[in-house]
Amino acid sequence: MINIVLFGPPGSGKGTQAQNLIEKFNLKQISTGDLFRYNMKNDTDLGKLAKSYIDKGELVPDQVTTDMLVDEVKKPTDAAGFIFDGYPRTANQTAELERIVKEVLNSEISVCLSLVVDDEILVERLLKRGETSGRTDDSNEEIIRNRIKEYYTKTAEVAELYKQQGKYVEINGVGEIDEISQKLFAEVEKIK
Ligand code: AMP
């Protein structure tokens, strides 16, 4: 199995690259942010609870998030592995993910791929996206800078844990989309 933790700040091209990895290696993507948004849209109990945190820009408590993730990992799939997107975000979640992948899939996290893009380029890309996406959080430079700062503060400890395990790989996220995909593919080929 190939189990990838995909890291990347807002604007790093993570969505596009996740899509290319899924197609290339037949993976299933699990995005905790998407799962919360789905639950909020359908007004489920979980959605209502998550909304009270997400609206404040806070993390949803670990237990609720992890339970939701387990349900998703347990669903039958013919994929060759998973891309975890937006999880883990804390040291506790990192340990939980290791446990879940072992217990449910009898496997392990293969690699943590981290897309690296200079802050100034991220701001530029997001402001440009904001012109057409209609996302209010993409149209204000101050909010954009805060989201980027938030990302680094939250993920630093998770990155450190994967570094200690020798599973952390940084990829330059600036350049042609295909060129970046090829670099990611090469890293996945190494662990196949
Ligand atoms: P995202 O789309 O990954 O940026 O997630 C949107 C929001 O969902 C985050 O700002 C958090 O409030 C919540 N969220 C997503 N993933 C997690 C997680 N692993 N742990 C806690 N909260 C999360």
Side-chain angles (χ1 to χ4, degrees):
M1 269 192 114
I2 306 164
N3 296 307
I4 300 170
V5 170
L6 188 62
F7 264 18
S12 63
K14 190 164 59 113
T16 309
Q17 294 301 341
Q19 205 47 48
N20 289 350
L21 283 164
I22 289 164
E23 283 167 23
K24 171 85 177 169
F25 296 106
N26 181 30
L27 304 174
K28 176 175 173 175
Q29 181 181 19
I30 298 185
S31 157
T32 42
D34 282 352
L35 289 170
F36 282 134
R37 280 184 285 275
Y38 176 83
N39 275 280
M40 290 192 291
K41 202 170 138 219
N42 290 285
D43 209 20
T44 66
D45 286 346
L46 175 61
K48 283 179 201 142
L49 177 78
K51 191 172 170 17
S52 65
Y53 294 93
I54 292 175
D55 280 355
K56 286 184 273 177
E58 290 171 8
L59 287 185
V60 180
D62 276 350
Q63 192 60 54
V64 187
T65 309
T66 301
D67 288 349
M68 177 178 76
L69 182 93
V70 172
D71 287 347
E72 209 55 33
V73 173
K74 280 186 175 164
K75 285 185 186 161
T77 172
D78 57 9
F82 290 86
I83 293 186
F84 296 98
D85 171 2
Y87 189 107
R89 267 177 155 97
T90 63
N92 173 270
Q93 290 183 6
T94 310
E96 284 292 88
L97 184 61
E98 194 172 330
R99 184 184 61 77
I100 293 158
V101 170
K102 175 95 197 96
E103 283 178 12
V104 181
L105 305 170
N106 194 25
S107 187
E108 57 181 34
I109 293 299
S110 319
V111 70
C112 172
L113 298 174
S114 178
L115 287 169
V116 181
V117 178
D118 184 80
D119 284 4
E120 296 313 310
I121 297 176
L122 293 174
V123 173
E124 203 180 298
R125 283 187 186 173
L126 289 168
L127 283 171
K128 199 156 175 227
R129 185 169 85 182
E131 287 171 14
T132 50
S133 73
R135 279 179 60 160
T136 47
D137 58 351
D138 276 349
S139 48
N140 178 307
E141 184 165 337
E142 204 181 323
I143 297 176
I144 288 173
R145 287 193 187 276
N146 199 41
R147 282 164 61 206
I148 296 169
K149 195 171 124 237
E150 272 272 297
Y151 170 82
Y152 287 114
T153 323
K154 279 180 204 153
T155 52
E157 62 176 358
V158 178
E160 196 47 48
L161 288 166
Y162 286 120
K163 271 182 205 161
Q164 283 167 16
Q165 295 178 26
K167 289 181 177 174
Y168 187 77
V169 180
E170 289 188 340
I171 306 281
N172 181 359
V174 184
E176 294 294 321
I177 291 174
D178 282 350
E179 194 189 314
I180 299 162
S181 295
Q182 291 307 325
K183 286 190 229 160
L184 290 164
F185 294 171
E187 289 302 329
V188 177
E189 293 289 355
K190 282 189 204 166
I191 45 110
K192 262 180 88 180

